[in-house]
Amino acid sequence: MTITVPGPTIGVVGGGQLGRMLAEAAAPLGVEVVVLDPTPDCPAAPVARDQIVGDFDDPDAIGRLADRTDALTYEIELADPDHLATASAEADVPVHPTPETLRTIQDKFAEKEMLSEAGIPVPAYRRIDSVADLEAAVEEFGGVMLKAREGGYDGRGNVPVHAAAEAESALREAVGTAEEPAALAETFVDFERELSVIGVQGDDEVRTFPVGENVHEAEILRETVVPARTSDDVAERAQAVARDVLDALDGRGVFGIELFETREGEILVNEIAPRPHNSGHWSIEGAVSSQFEQHTRAVLGWPLGSTRQRAPTVSANVLGTVEESRPATLAGVDRVFGHEAAHLHWYGKDEVRPLRKMGHVTATGVEDAAVDDLLASTRELRDSLTFQ
Amino acid sequence: MTITVPGPTIGVVGGGQLGRMLAEAAAPLGVEVVVLDPTPDCPAAPVARDQIVGDFDDPDAIGRLADRTDALTYEIELADPDHLATASAEADVPVHPTPETLRTIQDKFAEKEMLSEAGIPVPAYRRIDSVADLEAAVEEFGGVMLKAREGGYDGRGNVPVHAAAEAESALREAVGTAEEPAALAETFVDFERELSVIGVQGDDEVRTFPVGENVHEAEILRETVVPARTSDDVAERAQAVARDVLDALDGRGVFGIELFETREGEILVNEIAPRPHNSGHWSIEGAVSSQFEQHTRAVLGWPLGSTRQRAPTVSANVLGTVEESRPATLAGVDRVFGHEAAHLHWYGKDEVRPLRKMGHVTATGVEDAAVDDLLASTRELRDSLTFQ
């Protein structure tokens, strides 16, 4: 393959923070980005070549995106796989990862089936099509995590069910109905820690970043610590599982692979994101090539970059610590700028909402820095930020 | 000082590659950039919030830039200091570095005088207002480098003069006239190597990056090697001289300080750029905070970032290796992407011209990497790039 720059233009469905960081990473490579997002002046808009204002599932808007770009991708699972496939065929531009992969991942049951069939370890699960199905699963596993098959993310649509008597109300809460619900029940996993591997599927090569450790609170990612504070053996097996997952998926691009490390040291796949992932933001400063540069290269079929880690790194999410939505003004940034190795990433969202992802802080350590200390100081720095 | 984000908007006179990389660095900090540049869709335009199309010395355009931004700076010495001062006063927005500093640096004689008065070592020089002045200087120094006082950069307007008889024609070449020429004559410096220090003047703090070594060819910078291959003693004295230079200059921001290391190990100041400098591009990957992030912070009076070097680093300029101007298509990029530690920075210029700066390639080594090898491999990589 001969690569020339200025390179192709990438059309991205979604213009949130992932689209923004993708555009920031693509520009030096000679690659321009056009995003499709319903919010005028979305986070990616100021740094992207252009924004098409339209819904993620608007076939006409997706068609216009395809018409003016050379390759399509998406930064949000809400992208419509059918419309992407149609637009790709009509404009004769590739879409990566493939719409089939997106469709599979959008359906948590189909995702689990695909992984199981590929021999990849996942928590025990049951398809739930009725109240009776859920009652049976609760009896079988002695309690389950009920999940809507589609539409949920960041823990939304996930409801723990501890007794069969709760089945009907739990379905209403998770899926909105107990009549013909499309749901999935998973056994509770007694995990030691949550890990993730950012994997990259290139044209004819696969790479994985070092294993990260994810600290969640109320099912929302708060911090990622890299390297994960686990054994070399667990880290190696997490990498191996991640490579198996990449093998099982179709289409090029970055995938965020969330894993459980059980108390017995077993690795189970929790969820897969067919896009750059929050738990890979550390790679901007912490790795030779960031997940956003890798996604750009992968989508275009270009050679991938190095995933080598440059230093111990912690990223901490800046979430909307407010009770009610209001115009966003983040205070206390002085302290982040005053820290010798901290980097602020502001996502450019006009409005702060409760728990909304508004930005993140990454801190890198020097070689052999104690990652515990780095986590503590980064967390403390992040916690000192307040919305006015 | 309490800093909040979204932060202020910076207005930048000039929208070339420096403005582009400034906008790329400012976005994550929550700082937006508006550039003023005469070329529609200038290199910075796709990644900046907006571009005002206008000349660098158009008072009306500079006034409009000031009206819609919170702080002014410039990425090109051709910015007009008087119009900047007027616009700053009328719109009540600060401009950094100060117009006085820009005015001094624009005049190579005034620059040398300022440095000399501050006790900073510079090559011996003479003010040249006539053919007779130049003849005298040639006699005194046994040959000089003649420079136009204003308007020259990248060696343009510099003419070596070896005999008094050449004085008149040399003045015509360097300044365009031998009648009341505004010129400067400098003694030839027998230097061991050319060094540079990127310095940052903050609100109440000063920082310098590690000393870089600049490899020139035909008076144009080709590569920068960091750390410079010189003694610790020379590097320390180069840092000390750079700090003296920063002390002598007015206004906040990044300054590129070019130095000569003479054969006797003496440090002399060659030129100062009141802006991020080509020899500081290595800092994007090679330092904790890049010169562009530092300039953003400094101009706003925010705390400066760490200038710590993360790894041995070489940057190599991608110049227009063409005989005649034509639309720019760079081939051979595959090899850059195939290199484990190389990064491409494309500047987004539509047209390649002879020796025009079109981009650069940066490669970082691992700790203790031999910087000679890194220079050789980076140069080889850069040389494999061709314009179609």
Side-chain angles (χ1 to χ4, degrees):
Chain A
M1 169 194 273
T2 297
I3 301 172
T4 59
V5 293
T9 297
I10 298 181
V12 184
V13 177
Q17 66 268 20
L18 301 177
R20 179 180 172 107
M21 290 185 275
L22 192 67
E24 287 168 358
L29 308 182
V31 174
E32 293 194 343
V33 162
V34 178
V35 298
L36 166 65
D37 198 282
T39 307
D41 195 32
C42 64
V47 294
R49 163 57 75 180
D50 211 351
Q51 173 184 4
I52 293 173
V53 178
D55 284 328
F56 305 131
D57 58 357
D58 175 351
D60 178 62
I62 297 171
R64 279 185 287 137
L65 185 68
D67 283 341
R68 61 174 293 189
T69 56
D70 307 298
L72 291 172
T73 189
Y74 40 89
E75 56 102 82
I76 184 161
E77 280 97 330
L78 296 174
D80 186 298
D82 298 325
H83 296 330
L84 274 168
T86 304
S88 166
E90 284 181 359
D92 193 23
V93 298
V95 50
H96 285 282
T98 64
E100 292 68 38
T101 293
L102 174 59
R103 200 178 288 119
T104 301
I105 289 178
Q106 280 180 340
D107 178 347
K108 288 197 174 78
F109 177 72
E111 181 186 358
K112 287 285 190 302
E113 288 282 282
M114 179 270 294
L115 293 169
S116 296
E117 281 161 24
I120 293 162
V122 295
Y125 65 96
R126 292 293 176 265
R127 174 176 169 147
I128 304 297
D129 292 330
S130 66
V131 172
D133 285 348
L134 180 54
E135 287 170 345
V138 171
E139 294 295 333
E140 181 184 0
F141 296 129
V144 296
M145 182 61 82
L146 177 68
K147 299 181 175 181
R149 280 175 62 167
E150 299 204 11
Y153 67 99
D154 275 356
R156 276 175 256 190
N158 290 4
V159 177
V161 191
H162 298 285
E166 302 165 4
E168 192 172 328
S169 65
L171 280 169
R172 276 192 232 288
E173 189 181 342
V175 194
T177 176
E179 312 288 320
E180 299 184 18
L184 170 81
E186 279 180 25
T187 184
F188 288 115
V189 177
D190 188 23
F191 59 82
E192 183 69 30
R193 54 181 75 77
E194 295 183 80
L195 305 175
S196 69
V197 175
I198 305 297
V200 202
Q201 178 69 57
D203 194 34
D204 57 1
E205 56 179 328
V206 169
R207 300 206 184 192
T208 53
F209 284 91
V211 182
E213 174 185 346
N214 295 330
V215 182
H216 286 82
E217 204 181 297
E219 302 198 63
I220 295 184
L221 179 65
R222 306 296 164 135
E223 295 100 18
T224 298
V225 180
V226 192
R229 293 167 297 176
T230 188
S231 68
D232 289 350
D233 172 57
V234 165
E236 268 169 43
R237 284 185 290 119
Q239 293 270 0
V241 168
R243 284 178 177 267
D244 289 343
V245 169
L246 292 171
D247 278 352
L249 293 169
D250 202 31
R252 303 187 301 252
V254 160
F255 294 86
I257 302 162
E258 294 187 274
L259 306 165
F260 293 120
E261 175 191 343
T262 68
R263 299 235 185 254
E264 292 73 38
E266 195 186 6
I267 303 293
L268 302 175
V269 174
N270 178 21
E271 279 191 8
I272 300 165
R275 50 164 175 79
H277 189 258
N278 193 166
S279 66
H281 293 353
W282 69 272
S283 62
I284 298 175
E285 289 86 9
V288 172
S289 296
S290 76
Q291 64 167 349
F292 299 102
E293 177 173 345
Q294 300 281 19
H295 192 65
T296 303
R297 293 184 183 207
V299 164
L300 297 175
W302 288 3
L304 304 180
S306 168
T307 52
R308 184 173 69 78
Q309 185 169 5
R310 301 187 67 188
T313 307
V314 171
S315 69
N317 283 341
V318 178
L319 303 175
T321 48
V322 294
E323 300 288 323
E324 287 187 0
S325 302
R326 56 172 187 260
T329 304
L330 185 70
V333 183
D334 324 41
R335 291 204 50 217
V336 177
F337 288 133
H339 185 284
E340 281 300 298
H343 297 267
L344 177 71
H345 292 264
W346 177 248
Y347 298 158
K349 297 178 185 178
D350 293 334
E351 190 178 71
V352 56
R353 299 175 199 149
L355 295 180
R356 192 180 198 193
K357 290 174 181 167
M358 301 301 294
H360 73 268
V361 173
T362 299
T364 54
V366 289
E367 284 314 324
D368 303 322
V371 92
D372 289 317
D373 295 346
L374 196 61
L375 173 59
S377 64
T378 311
R379 188 181 270 161
E380 199 247 332
L381 211 51
R382 188 269 323 280
D383 289 343
S384 71
L385 297 169
T386 53
F387 286 93
Q388 284 187 334
Chain B
M1 172 193 273
T2 297
I3 301 172
T4 59
V5 294
T9 298
I10 299 181
V12 185
V13 177
Q17 65 268 21
L18 301 178
R20 179 180 172 106
M21 290 185 275
L22 192 66
E24 288 169 358
L29 309 183
V31 173
E32 294 194 341
V33 162
V34 177
V35 298
L36 166 66
D37 198 280
T39 307
D41 195 31
C42 64
V47 294
R49 164 55 77 180
D50 211 350
Q51 174 184 4
I52 293 172
V53 178
D55 285 328
F56 307 129
D57 57 358
D58 174 352
D60 177 60
I62 297 171
R64 279 183 289 137
L65 185 69
D67 284 340
R68 61 174 293 190
T69 55
D70 307 297
L72 291 172
T73 188
Y74 39 89
E75 57 103 81
I76 185 161
E77 279 96 331
L78 295 174
D80 188 295
D82 298 326
H83 296 329
L84 274 169
T86 304
S88 165
E90 284 180 358
D92 193 24
V93 297
V95 49
H96 285 281
T98 64
E100 293 67 38
T101 293
L102 174 60
R103 200 177 286 117
T104 301
I105 288 177
Q106 280 178 341
D107 178 347
K108 288 197 173 75
F109 177 73
E111 181 186 356
K112 287 285 189 300
E113 290 281 283
M114 180 270 295
L115 293 169
S116 296
E117 283 162 20
I120 293 162
V122 294
Y125 65 95
R126 292 291 177 268
R127 175 177 169 143
I128 304 297
D129 292 329
S130 67
V131 172
D133 285 346
L134 180 53
E135 288 170 343
V138 172
E139 294 294 336
E140 180 184 1
F141 297 128
V144 297
M145 181 62 81
L146 178 67
K147 299 182 174 180
R149 279 176 60 168
E150 298 205 10
Y153 67 100
D154 274 355
R156 277 175 256 191
N158 289 6
V159 177
V161 191
H162 299 284
E166 301 165 6
E168 192 170 330
S169 66
L171 279 169
R172 276 192 233 287
E173 190 182 341
V175 194
T177 176
E179 312 289 320
E180 301 185 13
L184 169 82
E186 279 179 25
T187 183
F188 289 117
V189 177
D190 188 21
F191 59 83
E192 183 68 30
R193 54 181 74 78
E194 295 183 81
L195 306 175
S196 68
V197 174
I198 306 297
V200 200
Q201 178 69 54
D203 193 36
D204 56 1
E205 56 179 329
V206 169
R207 299 207 183 192
T208 54
F209 284 91
V211 181
E213 174 184 347
N214 296 330
V215 183
H216 286 82
E217 204 181 298
E219 301 200 62
I220 294 183
L221 179 64
R222 307 294 165 136
E223 295 99 16
T224 298
V225 180
V226 191
R229 294 167 296 176
T230 188
S231 68
D232 289 350
D233 171 57
V234 166
E236 268 169 42
R237 283 185 291 117
Q239 293 271 1
V241 168
R243 285 180 175 266
D244 289 343
V245 169
L246 292 171
D247 277 351
L249 293 168
D250 201 30
R252 302 188 300 252
V254 159
F255 294 86
I257 302 162
E258 293 187 274
L259 307 165
F260 293 121
E261 175 190 343
T262 69
R263 300 236 185 254
E264 292 75 36
E266 195 184 7
I267 302 293
L268 302 174
V269 174
N270 179 20
E271 277 190 10
I272 299 164
R275 53 166 172 78
H277 189 258
N278 193 165
S279 66
H281 293 353
W282 69 272
S283 62
I284 297 175
E285 287 87 9
V288 172
S289 297
S290 76
Q291 65 168 345
F292 299 103
E293 177 173 344
Q294 300 279 19
H295 192 65
T296 302
R297 293 184 184 206
V299 164
L300 297 177
W302 289 1
L304 303 180
S306 168
T307 53
R308 183 173 69 79
Q309 184 169 6
R310 301 188 67 188
T313 307
V314 170
S315 69
N317 283 342
V318 178
L319 302 174
T321 49
V322 294
E323 300 290 323
E324 287 187 359
S325 301
R326 57 174 186 263
T329 304
L330 185 68
V333 182
D334 324 40
R335 291 203 51 219
V336 177
F337 287 132
H339 186 286
E340 282 299 298
H343 297 266
L344 177 71
H345 291 264
W346 178 249
Y347 299 157
K349 298 178 184 178
D350 294 334
E351 190 177 72
V352 56
R353 299 175 198 149
L355 294 181
R356 191 181 199 194
K357 290 175 182 166
M358 301 301 294
H360 72 269
V361 173
T362 300
T364 53
V366 288
E367 283 314 326
D368 304 323
V371 91
D372 289 317
D373 296 345
L374 195 63
L375 173 59
S377 64
T378 311
R379 188 182 270 161
E380 200 247 331
L381 210 53
R382 188 270 322 281
D383 289 343
S384 71
L385 298 169
T386 53
F387 285 93
Q388 284 188 335

